[in-house]
Amino acid sequence: EIVLTQSPGTLSLSPGERATLSCRASQNIRSNFLAWYQQKPGQAPRLLIYGASIRATGIPDRFSGSGSGTDFSLTINRLEPEDFALYYCQHYGTSHLFTFGPGTKVDIK
Amino acid sequence: QLQLQESGPGLVKPSETLSLTCTVSGDSISSSSYYWGWIRQPPGKGLEWIGSISYSGSTYYNPSLKARVTIFVDTSKNQFSLKLRSVTAADTAVYYCARSDSSWHLDYYYYMDVWGKGTTVTVS
């Protein structure tokens, strides 16, 4: 079973700065099988990135995903006020098994 | 526009069965491209996938919950449902339903592209 670790737990930044969030898998995974979600308080998660680097419909281009093997990242360029939220990575595995990371909170410095 | 809406009791007694339904509007649940799933989030914690089902009834469950979970689909009502048996306080969570879309690169892979707003279930 794949275990996802996200770091840091909390990232404190100011609007306009760049955020880099890390997601590490316990073993090599296919790059395409990695997705990222954003969740704001009291709301459902929203798909940001799938296939490790493909932005979902309607997602601004300041969001980008990259990585391979065991190390993946989500970058948010020029943080907007609405970007301060929780972010989860997710792996799609064999037997249609979905695994989520513990999340990274991006909050205002 | 596709929308998903969870419904069901907000309070369940310990040892009883939690039952939730997700109603899909804006598209047919019978589309062969998608899976339909349940995810939960205990208070202040992260996301946990519970299980998924195709329109034809193929199911996949989280191994940690498999013994207690059943997911089934009712295409005539455009709904899919979750039953979680023998609940305890640890099953208290916000329960989300979601659609899983797929893409292909060397193999099919899935991701959850449309979510319901979630429903809070308390076991007490």
Side-chain angles (χ1 to χ4, degrees):
Chain A
E1 179 187 336
I2 302 289
V3 176
L4 299 177
T5 303
Q6 291 187 242
S7 61
T10 301
L11 193 53
S12 297
L13 294 168
S14 300
E17 292 190 297
R18 172 185 292 179
T20 301
L21 287 66
S22 171
C23 177
R24 177 163 292 179
S26 58
Q27 55 188 280
N28 281 347
I29 62 174
R30 291 190 189 181
S31 300
N32 310 75
F33 290 12
L34 199 286
W36 290 91
Y37 300 82
Q38 177 194 67
Q39 186 180 33
K40 297 178 181 178
Q43 296 185 17
R46 176 175 73 145
L47 177 68
L48 296 176
I49 301 283
Y50 64 95
S53 62
I54 303 170
R55 276 188 300 277
T57 302
I59 301 303
D61 61 8
R62 64 179 182 273
F63 291 92
S64 63
S66 64
S68 63
T70 60
D71 293 316
F72 297 83
S73 62
L74 173 71
T75 300
I76 313 170
N77 285 312
R78 302 179 308 278
L79 279 164
E80 297 284 345
E82 61 267 27
D83 299 335
F84 292 92
L86 261 170
Y87 292 84
Y88 294 97
C89 58
Q90 169 252 305
H91 173 250
Y92 171 74
T94 56
S95 300
H96 204 90
L97 177 65
F98 291 90
T99 305
F100 290 92
T104 290
K105 182 180 181 181
V106 179
D107 67 10
I108 300 177
K109 190 173 182 179
Chain B
Q1 180 185 358
L2 181 73
Q3 290 188 317
L4 284 69
Q5 178 68 58
E6 305 88 351
S7 60
L11 183 63
V12 182
K13 290 182 169 57
S15 80
E16 295 191 342
T17 297
L18 180 159
S19 296
L20 296 175
T21 294
C22 182
T23 300
V24 179
S25 58
D27 195 6
S28 171
I29 201 170
S30 297
S31 169
S32 60
S33 300
Y34 306 117
Y35 273 75
W36 306 89
W38 290 95
I39 305 93
R40 70 180 183 178
Q41 185 171 36
K45 296 188 178 180
L47 301 166
E48 180 180 35
W49 172 71
I50 299 170
S52 301
I53 189 168
S54 71
Y55 81 100
S56 62
S58 297
T59 51
Y60 297 91
Y61 298 127
N62 188 323
S64 68
L65 297 169
K66 186 174 183 177
R68 298 194 291 132
V69 172
T70 302
I71 297 175
F72 55 95
V73 64
D74 186 338
T75 54
S76 67
K77 294 182 179 178
N78 226 34
Q79 295 175 335
F80 62 104
S81 299
L82 167 71
K83 287 192 182 297
L84 180 64
R85 296 175 290 278
S86 304
V87 297
T88 69
D91 296 308
T92 293
V94 176
Y95 285 75
Y96 297 100
C97 59
R99 184 183 78 173
S100 295
D101 195 3
S102 65
S103 289
W104 186 90
H105 178 76
L106 302 179
D107 198 352
Y108 280 104
Y109 61 96
Y110 288 82
Y111 42 89
M112 298 161 190
D113 66 331
V114 182
W115 294 65
K117 291 185 167 130
T119 188
T120 298
V121 178
T122 301
V123 179
S124 179

